[in-house]
């Protein structure tokens, strides 16, 4: 351990505030004192001025030690974790000795900080005598530094005699400055890391701390927003990794890791419970904004516990579109900064590896979909190698939904989540923030802006076609900008929306900003821009270098003479870069479109102009071309549309892979939404082929159908034509359409006899207008058996308004404890799924659980005990989904419900995790069904058996390994009466399970 490495961590800005708290503030007359005072009269834990107890001093010292032991970046701690408490104890005892010194403050200053430390150590009976050599050295450095700041505190007191103060304070200030200068002048590897890290984090916070808001840069409004003010908390949902199945009543339900969380949940909290997340989202859904938010939250931690999990993390923002723009190899850690930061090359040698090796990194890999499909396997291998070499860090990877298959990174323990479309409340919040950000300070203009905001909110709520457009931040920004630009008039479709946005940027932007540039028509500018876009699409890129861009412009200029007024190719490039608002330079001599959506739209325009319908069709199974093809259909003339869709169907016929064929057919179906005019025969053929995919065969097929859009509703069968799983999959597809146009279709299914269908109808509530869905669907589902699912407080309010009192409640994590308590108290449920800990419920709510028969609880880390559930409840099924484990959670009270027949502990940790917990389970006389993680069996005591258990489910996120065989063998001894054994799907090929009896 080197003193410089310690010193840099506890420089003046850290120690002074903590040391100052050890002393009481002087009284009102302190400034008139003309003599020094004794040190023991100044401390805040002695005499009449007592403010701190010994435990408070210990807390201050603990904070000081925590700052000091922060790993400076080279991966080596100054002392082992198990010795930190001993140092805290020793230093606390030493500093408490301040209350016994009979020195005056002037005498203490005269002694100097080193002798003061010696006297304190002696007065405290040398509390460091029992420390190890390293810990004692650490203690001494920390005590010396603290004493330096104690004396500095004395010199700053108003009661310090002026004639003594001047000289002493000057000397002491010089001493502190020299100590800090010495630390700065003689950096060792650790201090170099820490100094660079400070610069780097400041750079990240500044670079990513602003958000470009589309359309605000017109007129006199700023073009960027502070991220703190602009960020809209996004919601993520997901299925997660398969863990197995769990029996609830007479049914088996799949258990996936996301079930262990309260979903949907804020996307920026996903990494709080999962070290590795693959986040999917449509273009414009806010993936990159979320990456910015996480990077800034790590670089400049915010107060409060919500983002505390990012504290001390070093963020690396790795946009793949930049890293692979020129076909280079993906970077090793030493090259992480090369393409994304001007600080590249100035970091200490090996700094990144030391951060990664210490498990302190937050690696944000943005845009798997922007890597050409042929290179994604190489990208996956790159990620895998990094994670294998540097375990313990947090990783976020983003992608468009269709770019990589489901469970693409499941083998690397990634949890998969999907960004949800903006809710009605999100849209209203965004519109309000956009208009506030666009304010100019002019009373007249801002009054007009406020009127536009109100008008737009009414339009989005009242016109379904506008509501379908306002699903993500990009499209919401377009709507806001165009609504203001067009004085309240808006286009109603995506094609018209993008066309109007381009016109606004290319024609109106410079006029509004009063820039004196040559008057240019829109069409010649589009001709150049669409060639740039089409080159990027054909080459599978989102960035190109400036030389290539100017070459493309130079080749096109002879055919577009109107742009000659701007000058040569370099001048035209500069015009588009600085004036259009459509291009930007993410790095030196590199250019890209401000958003992928504009690239796809303009590239589609070029493809239509070129008549490249065969080229488009041949990419019908390539996710990077999906939006290009849809926008080409939107921009083509009727005859061209027919040709393009015909080519796309012909391409599907040539595909031998069923997935590629299905994808091409669904893409053709999605294109119909944009085909205002189309030959009836072509439309009918597309619909016929789509109908062959209906009804969907599973949840994934259902979501694929939903991606086609509202037009799929006309092809889905009604409740009279399907039953069982097929009916549930149809309802799943319709609830994922996320358009209120689906509500009347779904309402036809409310009387379906299958309970799983009605439960899916309830689950879909959060995807639609709350009031409309409640009135047309939820109000008709209270049949005594349907599980009523609540995602928000608004759902609870609507149920109360409807006057319903269902007995089966599923309360997800988005519901506040207050609303959950009110709901439970009113309904007195017999079935309860609680997405948060019971610790937040009121006593009235807990008392209302006296009729409870089935209880499922998602542990979110808040402590609670089974004692909170009434003993008189006729509980026969209890399930606890553990996302983070409950250390030493007490299962002893479970004996209060001897009628328990089924217990489910679905966990990523090994729970039950003690011999005592297993013995408590063995005391339940009627227990027949049990679900536990396979790893938990290792905690069961030798000789224990549970012969009454006849149905056993083992869960595991890991593939089959030797430990799995051991767990299975242990299960056969522990549960000799098992008749049905359900194992993880990925174990089935390896485990020789005993014969299964019919259920």
């Amino acid at each position: 351990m080197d003193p410089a490495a310690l010193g840099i961590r506890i420089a003046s800005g850290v120690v002074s505030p903590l040391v100052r708290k050890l002393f009481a503030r002087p009284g009102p007359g302190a400034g008139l004192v003309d003599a020094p005072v004794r040190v023991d009269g100044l401390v805040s834990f002695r005499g009449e001025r007592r403010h701190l107890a010994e435990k408070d001093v210990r807390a201050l010292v603990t904070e000081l030690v925590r700052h000091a032991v922060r790993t400076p970046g080279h991966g080596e701690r100054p002392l082992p974790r198990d010795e930190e408490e001993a140092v805290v104890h020793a230093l606390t005892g030493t500093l408490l000795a301040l209350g016994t010194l009979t020195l005056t403050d002037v005498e203490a200053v005269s002694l100097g900080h080193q002798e003061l430390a010696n006297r304190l150590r002696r007065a405290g009976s040398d509390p460091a005598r029992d420390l190890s050599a390293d810990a004692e050295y650490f203690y001494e450095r920390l005590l010396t530094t603290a004493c330096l700041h104690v004396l500095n505190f004395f010199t700053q007191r108003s009661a310090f005699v002026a004639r003594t103060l001047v000289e002493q304070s000057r000397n002491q200030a010089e001493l502190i400055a020299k100590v800090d200068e010495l630390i700065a002048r003689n950096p060792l590897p650790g201090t170099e890391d820490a100094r660079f890290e400070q610069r780097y984090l400041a750079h990240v916070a500044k670079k990513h701390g602003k958000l470009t808001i589309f359309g605000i840069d017109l007129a006199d409004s700023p073009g960027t927003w502070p991220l703190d003010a602009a960020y809209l908390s996004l919601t993520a949902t997901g299925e997660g990794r398969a863990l197995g199945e769990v029996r609830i009543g007479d049914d088996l339900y799949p258990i996936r890791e996301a079930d262990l969380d309260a979903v949907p949940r804020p996307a920026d909290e996903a990494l709080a419970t999962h070290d590795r997340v693959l986040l999917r989202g449509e273009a414009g859904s806010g993936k990159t904004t979320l990456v910015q938010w996480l990077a800034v939250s790590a670089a400049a931690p915010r107060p409060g516990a919500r983002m505390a999990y990012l504290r001390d993390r070093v963020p690396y923002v790795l946009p793949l579109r930049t890293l692979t723009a020129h076909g280079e190899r993906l970077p090793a850690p030493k090259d992480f900064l090369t393409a994304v930061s001007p600080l590249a090359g100035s970091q200490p040698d090996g700094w990144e590896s030391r951060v990664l090796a210490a498990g302190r990194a937050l690696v944000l890999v943005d845009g798997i979909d922007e890597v050409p499909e042929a290179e994604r396997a190489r990208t996956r291998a790159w990620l895998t190698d990094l994670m294998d070499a540097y375990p313990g860090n947090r990783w976020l990877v983003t992608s468009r939904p269709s770019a990589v298959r489901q469970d693409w990174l499941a083998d690397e323990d990634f949890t998969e989540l999907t960004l949800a479309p903006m809710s009605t409340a999100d849209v209203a919040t965004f519109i309000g923030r956009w208009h506030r950000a666009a304010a100019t300070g002019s009373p007249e203009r801002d009054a007009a802006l406020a009127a536009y905001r109100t008008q737009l909110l009414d339009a989005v709520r009242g016109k379904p076609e506008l509501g379908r457009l306002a699903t993500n931040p990009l499209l919401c920004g377009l709507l806001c900008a165009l609504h203001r630009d067009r004085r309240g008039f808006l286009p109603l479709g995506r094609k018209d929306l993008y066309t109007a946005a381009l016109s606004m940027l290319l024609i109106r932007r410079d006029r509004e900003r009063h820039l004196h540039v040559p008057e240019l028509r829109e069409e010649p500018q589009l001709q150049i821009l669409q060639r740039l876009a089409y080159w990027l699409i054909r080459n599978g890129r989102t960035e190109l270098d400036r030389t290539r861009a100017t070459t493309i412009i130079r080749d096109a200029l002879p055919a577009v003479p109107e742009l000659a007024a701007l000058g040569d190719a370099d001048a035209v490039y500069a015009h588009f870069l600085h004036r259009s608002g459509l291009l930007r330079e993410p790095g030196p001599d590199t250019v890209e479109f401000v958003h992928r959506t504009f690239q796809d739209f303009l590239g589609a325009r070029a493809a239509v102009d070129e008549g490249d319908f065969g080229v488009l069709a041949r990419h019908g199974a390539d996710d990077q071309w999906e939006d290009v093809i849809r926008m080409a259909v939107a921009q083509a003339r009727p005859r061209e549309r027919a040709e393009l869709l015909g080519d796309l169907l012909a391409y599907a016929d040539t595909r031998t892979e069923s997935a590629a064929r299905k994808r091409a057919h669904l893409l053709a179906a999605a294109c119909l939404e944009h085909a205002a005019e189309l030959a009836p025969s072509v439309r009918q053929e597309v619909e016929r082929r789509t109908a062959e995919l209906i009804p969907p065969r599973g949840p994934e097929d259902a979501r694929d159908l939903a991606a086609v859009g509202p037009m799929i509703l006309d092809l889905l069968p009604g409740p009279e034509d399907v039953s069982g799983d097929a009916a549930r999959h149809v309802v799943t597809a319709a609830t994922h359409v996320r358009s209120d146009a689906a509500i009347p279709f779904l309402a036809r299914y409310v009387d379906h006899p299958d309970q799983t269908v009605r439960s899916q109808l309830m689950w879909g509530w959060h995807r639609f207008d709350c009031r409309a869905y409640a009135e047309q669907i939820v109000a008709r589902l209270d049949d005594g058996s349907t599980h009523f699912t609540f995602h928000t407080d608004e759902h609870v309010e609507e149920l109360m308004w409807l006057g319903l009192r269902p007995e089966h409640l599923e309360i997800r994590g988005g519901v506040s404890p207050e609303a959950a308590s009110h709901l439970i108290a009113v309904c007195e449920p017999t079935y309860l799924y609680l997405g948060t800990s019971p610790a937040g419920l009121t006593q009235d709510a807990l008392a209302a659980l006296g009729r409870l028969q089935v209880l499922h609880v998602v542990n979110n880390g808040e402590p609670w005990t089974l004692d909170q559930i009434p003993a008189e409840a006729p509980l026969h099924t209890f399930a606890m989904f553990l996302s983070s484990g409950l250390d030493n959670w007490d299962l002893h009270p479970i004996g209060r419900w001897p009628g328990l027949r089924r217990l489910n502990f679905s966990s990523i940790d090994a729970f039950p995790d003690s011999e005592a917990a297993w013995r408590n389970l063995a005391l339940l006389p009627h227990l027949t069904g049990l679900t536990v993680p396979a790893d938990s069996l290792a905690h069961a005591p030798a000789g224990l058996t549970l012969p009454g258990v006849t149905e056993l489910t083992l869960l595991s996120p890991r593939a089959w390994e030797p430990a799995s065989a051991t767990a299975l063998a242990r299960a056969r001894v522990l549960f000799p009466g098992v008749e049905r054994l359900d194992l993880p799907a990925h174990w089935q090929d390896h485990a020789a399970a005993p014969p299964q009896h019919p259920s």
Side-chain angles (χ1 to χ4, degrees):
M1 180 188 67
D2 184 84
L6 174 61
I8 193 67
R9 282 298 186 190
I10 56 170
S12 308
V14 173
V15 189
S16 293
L18 296 175
V19 168
R20 193 177 298 120
K21 293 178 183 178
L22 295 172
F23 299 93
R25 292 184 178 181
L32 301 178
V33 175
D34 59 359
V37 296
R38 283 173 34 159
V39 171
D40 61 357
L42 296 175
V43 295
S44 60
F45 45 86
R46 180 180 174 86
E48 296 181 355
R49 288 183 175 176
R50 182 185 181 95
H51 295 294
L52 297 178
E54 180 176 343
K55 66 176 183 179
D56 299 314
V57 177
R58 179 178 293 273
L60 293 175
V61 172
T62 301
E63 180 70 4
L64 189 59
V65 171
R66 187 183 74 83
H67 277 283
V69 298
R70 282 185 56 189
T71 306
H74 50 61
E76 181 182 353
R77 296 176 57 82
L79 78 162
R81 289 184 185 276
D82 57 3
E83 295 194 43
E84 287 181 26
E85 186 59 30
V87 172
V88 169
H89 179 75
L91 188 58
T92 301
T94 302
L95 292 180
L96 285 172
L98 283 166
T100 66
L101 293 183
T102 57
L103 293 169
T104 67
D105 52 358
V106 172
E107 290 171 340
V109 172
S110 299
L111 283 177
H113 66 285
Q114 192 64 61
E115 181 56 26
L116 177 62
N118 292 336
R119 292 204 180 189
L120 285 175
R121 192 183 298 108
R122 290 195 296 270
S125 301
D126 194 15
R129 61 184 178 277
D130 296 325
L131 297 179
S132 69
D134 281 349
E136 183 178 7
Y137 185 66
F138 181 87
Y139 156 86
E140 289 174 355
R141 288 287 300 165
L142 203 53
L143 173 61
T144 301
T145 305
C147 286
L148 181 68
H149 289 273
V150 166
L151 299 188
N152 187 55
F153 168 80
F154 290 162
T155 66
Q156 294 173 338
R157 294 184 65 253
S158 59
F160 204 83
V161 178
R163 59 182 175 271
T164 307
L165 172 64
V166 174
E167 187 61 29
Q168 293 290 342
S169 62
R170 181 182 297 135
N171 292 341
Q172 205 62 45
E174 289 177 1
L175 180 59
I176 292 175
K178 287 178 179 178
V179 170
D180 285 344
E181 183 180 356
L182 180 63
I183 292 170
R185 279 186 173 183
N186 298 278
L188 291 176
T191 62
E192 283 188 274
D193 281 2
R195 292 175 62 196
F196 175 77
E197 195 170 297
Q198 188 176 21
R199 288 178 58 211
Y200 172 71
L201 294 178
H203 164 69
V204 169
K206 183 175 181 180
K207 177 179 179 179
H208 298 288
K210 290 186 177 181
L211 187 65
T212 299
I213 303 299
F214 183 85
I216 289 185
D217 58 344
L218 297 175
D220 299 318
S221 304
T224 57
W225 236 350
L227 188 62
D228 277 336
Y231 180 70
L232 183 68
S233 183
L234 305 166
T235 299
T237 59
E239 290 192 341
R241 297 174 293 167
L243 298 179
E245 292 180 310
V246 62
R247 184 170 293 279
I248 299 174
D250 295 326
D251 299 314
L252 276 174
Y253 290 90
I255 293 296
R256 300 178 69 89
E257 189 177 13
D259 293 330
L260 312 182
D261 299 309
V263 292
R265 62 177 300 162
D268 54 20
E269 295 181 12
L271 285 172
T273 51
H274 304 293
D275 287 344
R276 302 175 179 184
V277 172
L278 171 60
L279 184 72
R280 300 173 188 265
E282 299 289 352
S285 60
K287 301 185 296 295
T288 299
T289 301
L290 175 63
V291 165
Q292 286 184 242
W293 177 255
L294 293 173
V296 172
S297 297
R302 292 164 172 76
R306 182 164 173 260
M307 305 297 286
Y309 74 94
L310 293 176
R311 181 181 298 169
D312 296 336
R313 292 280 171 178
V314 178
Y316 298 111
V317 180
L318 304 177
L320 289 178
R321 61 183 172 275
T322 299
L323 298 177
T324 62
H326 307 294
E328 298 98 334
R329 294 178 58 187
L330 289 160
K334 65 183 180 62
D335 300 317
F336 275 2
L337 305 189
T338 301
V340 297
S341 173
L343 298 180
S346 63
Q347 67 267 34
D349 187 38
W351 168 70
E352 301 88 352
S353 292
R354 289 190 289 274
V355 171
L356 286 160
R360 298 176 54 230
L362 172 67
V363 187
L364 305 167
V365 182
D366 190 22
I368 286 288
D369 55 287
E370 296 182 356
V371 176
E373 189 171 10
E375 298 177 21
R376 287 177 195 161
R378 181 167 62 90
T379 304
R380 188 184 185 282
W382 168 74
L383 273 171
T384 300
D385 288 346
L386 282 173
M387 291 182 294
D388 288 346
Y390 300 108
N393 297 286
R394 294 186 189 268
W395 305 76
L396 177 75
V397 179
T398 73
S399 173
R400 287 196 190 187
S402 57
V404 292
R405 60 174 170 77
Q406 197 78 10
D407 296 331
W408 188 64
L409 288 171
D411 290 345
E412 307 305 326
D413 293 332
F414 269 75
T415 296
E416 295 195 3
L417 300 174
T418 300
L419 284 177
M422 293 169 68
S423 66
T424 303
D426 291 337
V427 172
T429 299
F430 184 97
I431 290 173
R433 290 182 180 179
W434 190 99
H435 286 81
R436 283 196 297 274
T440 63
S442 164
E444 182 177 345
R445 290 184 180 181
D446 290 349
L449 199 62
Y452 286 141
R453 180 190 66 232
T454 302
Q455 185 183 20
L456 180 57
L457 283 170
D458 291 341
V460 169
R461 290 168 180 157
K463 296 181 179 179
E465 60 273 18
L466 277 182
R468 288 196 293 270
L469 282 176
T471 57
N472 64 53
L474 173 74
L475 292 177
C476 277
L478 282 173
L479 286 173
C480 292
L482 287 168
H483 185 261
R484 183 184 70 170
D485 185 67
R486 292 180 159 212
R487 307 296 190 265
F489 295 95
L490 279 173
L492 300 182
R494 280 182 68 193
K495 182 249 185 181
D496 294 336
L497 184 67
Y498 297 151
T499 300
L502 291 169
S503 178
M504 177 180 66
L505 288 171
L506 295 176
I507 303 300
R508 292 290 304 274
R509 190 170 188 264
D510 283 343
R511 291 179 186 171
E512 292 281 351
R513 297 174 72 188
H514 312 294
L515 295 174
H516 301 290
V517 295
E519 192 78 18
L520 298 172
R521 290 192 307 122
E522 181 179 339
E523 183 60 30
Q525 298 182 75
L526 290 175
Q527 287 294 324
I528 298 294
L529 288 168
Q530 70 186 40
R531 296 192 189 200
L532 294 172
Y534 200 28
W535 185 94
L536 288 167
I537 291 166
R538 289 198 312 270
N539 288 276
R541 304 293 177 188
T542 57
E543 290 184 1
L544 71 164
D545 59 63
R546 178 172 183 153
T547 301
R548 172 74 66 178
T550 53
T551 299
I552 294 171
I553 294 171
R554 186 176 297 110
D555 292 343
L557 280 179
V560 192
E562 289 185 48
L563 295 185
L566 294 176
D568 61 11
D570 289 322
V572 174
Y573 172 86
H575 169 82
F576 286 129
L577 182 65
H578 301 301
R579 303 298 190 205
S580 73
L582 284 167
L583 298 180
R584 64 184 175 195
E585 288 186 340
D589 297 323
T590 303
V591 65
E592 66 181 3
F593 282 86
V594 293
H595 199 278
R596 176 72 177 271
T597 296
F598 291 118
Q599 174 184 310
D600 290 348
F601 184 80
L602 287 166
R605 192 177 191 270
V608 170
D609 283 356
E610 296 288 338
D612 283 349
F613 305 124
V615 174
L616 292 171
R618 285 195 296 274
H619 289 86
D622 187 339
D623 63 275
Q624 287 201 343
W625 287 70
E626 183 177 314
D627 275 356
V628 179
I629 294 171
R630 295 175 69 166
M631 289 298 97
V633 170
Q635 297 180 81
R637 292 179 286 273
R639 184 177 300 174
E640 294 168 333
R641 287 187 191 124
E643 181 180 350
L644 173 52
L645 288 172
D647 287 347
L648 188 56
L649 295 178
Y651 165 81
D653 291 338
T654 67
R655 298 296 89 193
T656 57
E657 316 93 347
S658 61
R661 189 165 57 251
K662 168 186 166 185
R663 184 165 184 158
H665 284 149
L666 289 178
L667 177 56
C671 289
L672 294 184
E673 178 185 359
H674 307 289
E677 181 182 346
L678 182 65
S681 60
V682 177
R683 186 181 297 274
Q684 290 165 7
E685 180 61 16
V686 172
E687 291 176 347
R688 183 188 69 79
R689 297 195 183 206
T690 308
E692 294 176 358
L693 303 173
I694 295 172
R697 294 174 177 80
E700 187 173 349
D701 288 343
R703 288 190 291 271
D704 288 342
L705 282 175
V708 171
M711 60 84 54
I712 202 67
L713 298 170
D714 295 332
L715 301 175
L716 291 173
E720 64 280 357
D721 299 321
V722 284
S723 61
D725 287 345
R728 178 160 54 89
H729 298 327
V730 167
V731 171
T732 298
T735 55
H736 277 80
V737 168
R738 296 180 184 269
S739 165
D740 288 344
I743 295 178
F745 174 85
L746 291 167
R748 296 165 56 192
Y749 274 85
V750 294
D751 297 320
H752 198 282
D754 194 310
Q755 182 183 342
T756 63
V757 171
R758 299 194 301 276
S759 294
Q760 181 62 39
L761 286 172
M762 266 304 314
W763 178 264
W765 188 6
H766 67 286
R767 300 188 178 114
F768 299 92
D769 179 80
C770 185
R771 174 64 56 87
Y773 200 90
E775 292 175 343
Q776 297 183 49
I777 295 176
V778 176
R780 300 165 56 192
L781 290 175
D782 192 13
D783 52 17
S785 59
T786 299
H787 295 176
F788 273 61
T789 306
F790 303 86
H791 286 96
T792 66
D793 287 5
E794 189 180 10
H795 287 168
V796 176
E797 294 169 6
E798 282 299 323
L799 190 86
M800 297 296 104
W801 184 79
L802 290 171
L804 302 181
R805 301 296 183 265
E807 295 184 359
H808 294 185
L809 306 179
E810 291 194 13
I811 303 174
R812 297 284 162 169
V815 179
S816 69
E818 295 77 16
S821 295
H822 179 62
L823 180 65
I824 291 170
V826 169
C827 295
E828 299 183 356
T830 58
Y831 172 100
L832 178 62
Y833 176 105
L834 194 58
T836 57
S837 166
L841 298 180
T842 64
Q843 288 302 314
D844 287 344
L846 292 171
L849 298 178
R851 302 195 305 136
L852 199 62
Q853 299 175 26
V854 179
L855 174 62
H856 296 174
V857 175
V858 174
N859 168 48
N860 62 353
E862 290 186 66
W864 69 284
T865 67
L866 281 168
D867 290 331
Q868 294 176 262
I869 310 302
E872 66 272 17
L875 205 62
H876 62 71
T877 299
F878 173 58
M880 186 156 66
F881 303 100
L882 305 173
S883 60
S884 58
L886 287 176
D887 294 337
N888 301 315
W889 197 68
D890 188 8
L891 266 178
H892 178 71
I894 207 163
R896 302 200 302 170
W897 300 283
L900 276 167
R901 300 194 300 271
R902 297 187 185 278
L903 285 176
N904 305 317
F905 296 107
S906 302
S907 170
I908 60 174
D909 295 325
F911 187 88
D913 58 357
S914 68
E915 291 189 0
W918 277 102
R919 289 195 177 96
N920 281 314
L921 297 185
L923 296 176
L924 296 172
H926 301 291
L927 184 65
T928 59
L930 183 64
T931 297
V932 290
D935 291 348
S936 71
L937 303 182
H939 297 290
L944 181 73
T945 61
L946 282 76
V949 173
T950 58
E951 297 179 351
L952 175 66
T953 299
L954 296 181
L955 307 176
S956 178
R958 295 193 298 273
W960 181 263
E961 56 187 4
S964 307
T966 302
L968 192 56
R970 182 75 184 94
R972 289 171 179 158
V973 174
L974 190 58
F975 308 103
V978 164
E979 299 174 358
R980 179 183 183 114
L981 177 62
D982 293 304
L983 299 174
H986 45 281
W987 284 20
Q988 298 292 348
D989 294 337
H990 302 274
Q996 294 190 358
H997 297 260
S999 59

